[in-house]
Amino acid sequence: MKNDLEFLKKFFAPFSKRVYLVGGCVRDEFLGIKSKEFDLEVYDIKPQEFDKLMQKLGAIGVGKSFFVYKWKNFDIALPRTETKVGKGHKGFEVSLTQNEKEASRRRDFTMNALMKNIYTSKVLDFWGGEQDIKRNVIRHIDDNKFKEDSLRVLRAMQFASRLKFKIAKETIKLCLDINLDDLSKERIYMEFEKMFKSKYLYYGFYYFITLGIAKKLFNLEFKKKEFFHLAKLYKNNPSLSFFLYHLIYHKNLNQSYIIEKLGLPNKLKKEIKIKKCPKIVTNKFLYALSLKYPLKMFSILNLNCCEEWIKEKNLWDKKYKPKNIDPKNPRMSILNEIRSYDKIVIKKA
C-alpha cells in the first residue's frame, strides 16, 4: 500500500494538493488496524479532466454517475453530496462539491468521516469522529442524511460487533424509527455477513435486538432470559454460521424462511441445517449423524462437542463408511451395523 500511495501522491501532485484518504481506512489507522482497501477523495479537478487522468492511470470506472474509479486496492472518487430523490439505495441525486465538510456530511458515522491529507498527513475531523473512536462510540452525523439510507441501521449493528463499540443513544433512537422494507436481501446479507465474521458477536446480537432489526426483519422478540442465554453463547464465534445456527434452534425458526430472507450462500445453508446437539450424545447418535456429513462442523457449532471421540474414529473430515452393506437392503444393513455397537455415552449435558 505504501508504495502505491507514494505513486498516487506523485501522480496527483501537478493537479491538486487536496487529496484525502477517507472513511474506514482512516478510522482503522486510529484503531491500529491494518486496512486492505482504501478510499481516496480528490478535490479541485473537473470531472472530464478526472476521467482522463483515471484512464491514464488504468483505473476502472465502477460508478460513472458517482465519479468513482478502482485502481488496485484504492477506490478513487471526486467529492460529492447525495440527496435522496427515490426509493432504494439507487434513489440518490449526486452532485459534486469542493467543500470538505459538506462532502463528509454524507457519511454514516463520525468515525467514518475522518479525512487525512496524503501530502500533509493533516486530519480533518468535522464531526468529532476522533473523540468517538477514543470513547468506542458509534454516532451518526446528520439526522436527515442518515435516514436516507436504511442500510445504515444494519451497518451500526455490524460495526458494533466488529469493533466492540457502543452505539450512541441518539443513534439508537433514530435507528428505531427507520423502516427496513426497502432493503434487498443482497444488501441485508452483506451487512449480516460482516457481523457473522466478527469477533464480538454478542455486541452484534445486543444491537440486533436493540436497534429493532430482529423485530423488523424477522418479527422476533426476546425475553431477558433468552437474551442472556444466547448472549453467553455468542461470547464465542467459531464459525460464520454460528449466530444463525443457535438463533434458529433456540427460537425454533423455519430454516427455509431464514435462508430466503437473507439469501444465504450454499455453505451457510448446509451448516445451519446441521443437527443440534442433544442433551445426551451417544456413539450411535454420532455414527448415524456421520452417515450424512463429516462431524467437524457439528462439533464446532456445538462448542467442540465430542471432538476427541470424533477425531479418534476418523469422522472429523470424513463420513462414516459402513463395513458391510447388503445391496438388497442397504438402509437396514447400515442401521443394523450401528445398532450392533455397544452403546456408549460420549457426553451428558
Side-chain angles (χ1 to χ4, degrees), residues 91 99 116 174 216 220 263 294:
N99 183 294
K116 183 179 179 181
L174 189 62
K216 290 173 186 175
L220 292 178

Side-chain angles (χ1 to χ4, degrees), residues 120-249:
T120 66
S121 294
K122 180 181 178 181
V123 174
L124 300 182
D125 180 9
F126 299 107
W127 313 105
E130 186 176 351
Q131 189 68 20
D132 281 340
I133 289 171
K134 288 177 181 177
R135 293 176 177 175
N136 295 351
V137 171
I138 297 169
R139 191 189 316 276
H140 71 284
I141 295 170
D142 180 280
D143 285 12
N144 293 326
K145 290 291 181 186
F146 189 86
K147 288 189 293 186
E148 287 179 346
D149 187 355
S150 54
L151 189 71
R152 290 172 169 180
V153 179
L154 274 67
R155 281 173 62 79
M157 173 188 71
Q158 59 94 347
F159 275 127
S161 197
R162 286 165 54 197
L163 302 175
K164 201 180 179 182
F165 276 23
K166 293 181 179 180
I167 300 174
K169 289 181 180 179
E170 61 268 30
T171 302
I172 293 174
K173 185 178 179 181
L174 189 62
C175 287
L176 286 170
D177 290 334
I178 297 174
N179 194 303
L180 305 179
D181 289 348
D182 64 330
L183 294 175
S184 68
K185 60 185 177 183
E186 290 79 15
R187 295 193 89 208
I188 292 171
Y189 177 70
M190 178 176 68
E191 300 305 322
F192 269 100
E193 183 183 30
K194 292 170 186 174
M195 186 180 79
F196 294 159
K197 292 177 179 178
S198 71
K199 185 177 179 181
Y200 307 104
L201 195 57
Y202 60 104
Y203 263 63
F205 175 57
Y206 174 76
Y207 288 113
F208 173 66
I209 299 169
T210 305
L211 297 178
I213 297 167
K215 179 65 177 176
K216 290 173 186 175
L217 291 184
F218 306 103
N219 198 30
L220 292 178
E221 293 180 346
F222 294 83
K223 296 177 182 177
K224 189 177 286 188
K225 188 176 179 180
E226 288 181 306
F227 168 76
F228 283 115
H229 170 76
L230 284 169
K232 186 177 179 180
L233 275 175
Y234 292 148
K235 291 260 177 138
N236 298 279
N237 188 16
S239 162
L240 196 66
S241 53
F242 191 75
F243 181 88
L244 286 178
Y245 180 78
H246 288 283
L247 181 69
I248 286 168
Y249 277 109

Side-chain angles (χ1 to χ4, degrees), residues 29-40:
E29 185 179 339
F30 275 93
L31 290 168
I33 298 172
K34 191 175 181 179
S35 291
K36 295 180 181 179
E37 296 181 349
F38 306 88
D39 290 325
L40 212 62

